């Protein structure tokens, strides 16, 4: 009798284990999101640079550790060596337990309109998708990629083009997530319906646009993030707030108190917080300390 009961128990255990394994396989991307991007605390762009323009990697790592960041968002734009410097940074980021996001600039911020483009692949975002995915396989600290001002370039990033671009990346590494930059006003119901199924989340630059774009009002964070999630019709759709610590070209600069309040609200409501841009502790000591305290 005992042997029979033990046999039945073993069969049930193996059955349940198999079900769990299948569910884990199905939800692999969801689980990777939970362990890699939820709870993101990091800075974006503006790394310290050497006199030759190359990124000062040891100093950047030291400052990220000092402010308790778990993520750095690498912008490929202002120097033709940013791609090579990224490759040098990634293994050191892995040792430092840092996640790395990468942002490319869109056509509206590329040559000939702008002084720089994302190099070396320029506007070939399908090639970028493949190369980033390949890099993320060899360098697991690379967990996400993004395109700046995505919503301002939809004539280029059609749903068809975006789908093919992402399919190319996900064929190589389905766990490398895509989180494009999407502003409040341009994230319409139609946009969310058409593009939402393609995204793993959105990077949301907060500017209080629901009451008129500005960098003074920190009180709209929760309402705007709730609104963004409702548009994508998923209560758990990942929203990552991007906070202007550096001045906006049209809206001007933000105050240290504003950064502090938006950071506090963002940690409460968003799925992660990124600071635009990385703050130099010598040039901007007050905002640097606010980020450090807010991340801690």
């Amino acid at each position: 009798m005992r042997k029979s009961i033990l046999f039945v128990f073993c069969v049930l255990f193996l059955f349940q284990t198999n079900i769990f394994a299948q569910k884990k396989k199905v939800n692999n991307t969801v689980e990777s999101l939970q362990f890699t991007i939820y709870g993101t605390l990091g800075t974006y762009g503006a790394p310290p640079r050497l006199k030759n323009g190359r990124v000062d990697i040891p100093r950047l790592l030291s400052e990220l550790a000092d402010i308790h960041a778990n993520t750095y968002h690498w912008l490929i734009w202002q120097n033709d060596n940013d791609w090579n410097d990224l490759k040098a940074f990634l293994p050191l980021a892995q040792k430092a337990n840092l996640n790395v996001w990468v942002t490319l600039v869109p056509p509206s911020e590329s040559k000939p309109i702008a002084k720089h483009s994302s190099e070396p692949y320029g506007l070939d975002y399908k090639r970028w998708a493949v190369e980033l995915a390949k890099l993320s396989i060899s360098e697991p600290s690379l967990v996400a990629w993004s395109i700046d001002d995505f919503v301002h370039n939809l004539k280029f990033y059609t749903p068809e083009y975006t789908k093919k671009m992402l399919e190319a990346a996900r064929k190589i590494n389905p766990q490398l997530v895509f989180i494009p930059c999407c502003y409040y006003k341009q994230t319409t119901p139609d946009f969310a319906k058409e593009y939402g199924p393609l995204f793993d989340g959105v990077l949301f630059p907060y500017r209080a646009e629901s009451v008129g774009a500005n960098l003074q009002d920190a009180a709209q964070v929760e309402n705007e993030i709730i609104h963004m999630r409702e548009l994508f019709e998923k209560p758990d759709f990942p929203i990552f707030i991007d906070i202007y610590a550096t001045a906006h070209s049209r809206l001007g600069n933000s105050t240290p108190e504003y950064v502090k309040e938006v950071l506090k609200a963002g940690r409460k409501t968003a799925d992660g917080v990124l600071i635009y841009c990385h703050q130099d502790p010598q040039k901007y000591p007050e905002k640097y300390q606010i980020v450090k305290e807010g991340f801690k």
Side-chain angles (χ1 to χ4, degrees), residues 44 73 101-104 144-151 154 157 162 165-166 170 177-183 187 191 195-196 198-205 228 232 237-240 242:
Y44 172 23
H73 195 162
W101 297 22
V102 171
T103 273
L104 310 172
W145 68 295
S146 180
I147 295 176
D148 195 32
D149 288 1
F150 184 90
V151 288
L154 297 184
Y157 304 116
T162 303
M165 176 183 77
L166 295 177
R170 288 165 180 162
V177 298
F178 180 64
I179 306 172
C181 175
C182 299
Y183 293 86
T187 306
F191 170 83
Y195 286 86
L198 303 175
F199 298 165
D200 297 302
V202 297
L203 179 63
F204 168 49
M228 294 282 279
F232 287 98
F237 188 78
I239 305 290
F240 300 88
D242 204 15

Side-chain angles (χ1 to χ4, degrees), residues 61-102:
L61 288 168
S62 176
E63 291 174 1
L64 291 169
D66 184 52
I67 62 173
H68 317 290
N70 59 29
T71 302
Y72 181 68
H73 195 162
W74 190 282
L75 174 62
I76 300 179
W77 189 30
Q78 295 171 321
N79 188 288
D80 288 349
N81 290 302
D82 283 348
W83 176 239
N84 290 328
D85 285 347
L86 170 66
K87 292 179 180 179
F89 177 73
L90 286 170
L92 299 176
Q94 179 74 13
K95 290 181 180 179
N97 294 315
L98 280 169
N99 288 331
V100 180
W101 297 22
V102 171

Side-chain angles (χ1 to χ4, degrees), residues 6 44 50 61 66 107 152 160 170 182 192 194 243 264 269 295:
L6 181 61
Y44 172 23
L50 302 169
L61 288 168
D66 184 52
H152 295 309
E160 294 75 21
R170 288 165 180 162
C182 299
E194 200 163 21
I243 302 172
K264 182 179 178 181
T269 313
F295 282 3

Side-chain angles (χ1 to χ4, degrees), residues 124-161:
D124 189 350
Y125 298 96
K126 293 178 184 177
R127 176 70 183 276
W128 275 115
V130 168
E131 296 301 329
L132 285 168
K134 286 162 61 177
L135 185 60
S136 72
I137 292 293
S138 59
E139 298 292 350
S141 58
L142 175 53
V143 298
W145 68 295
S146 180
I147 295 176
D148 195 32
D149 288 1
F150 184 90
V151 288
H152 295 309
N153 291 266
L154 297 184
K155 288 183 179 180
F156 186 95
Y157 304 116
T158 63
E160 294 75 21
Y161 182 93

Side-chain angles (χ1 to χ4, degrees), residues 263-284:
L263 202 165
K264 182 179 178 181
R267 290 207 64 175
K268 178 182 176 182
T269 313
D271 295 291
V273 174
L274 286 157
I275 304 295
Y276 177 87
C277 297
H278 183 79
Q279 298 296 290
D280 186 306
Q282 280 76 47
K283 293 180 180 178
Y284 313 108

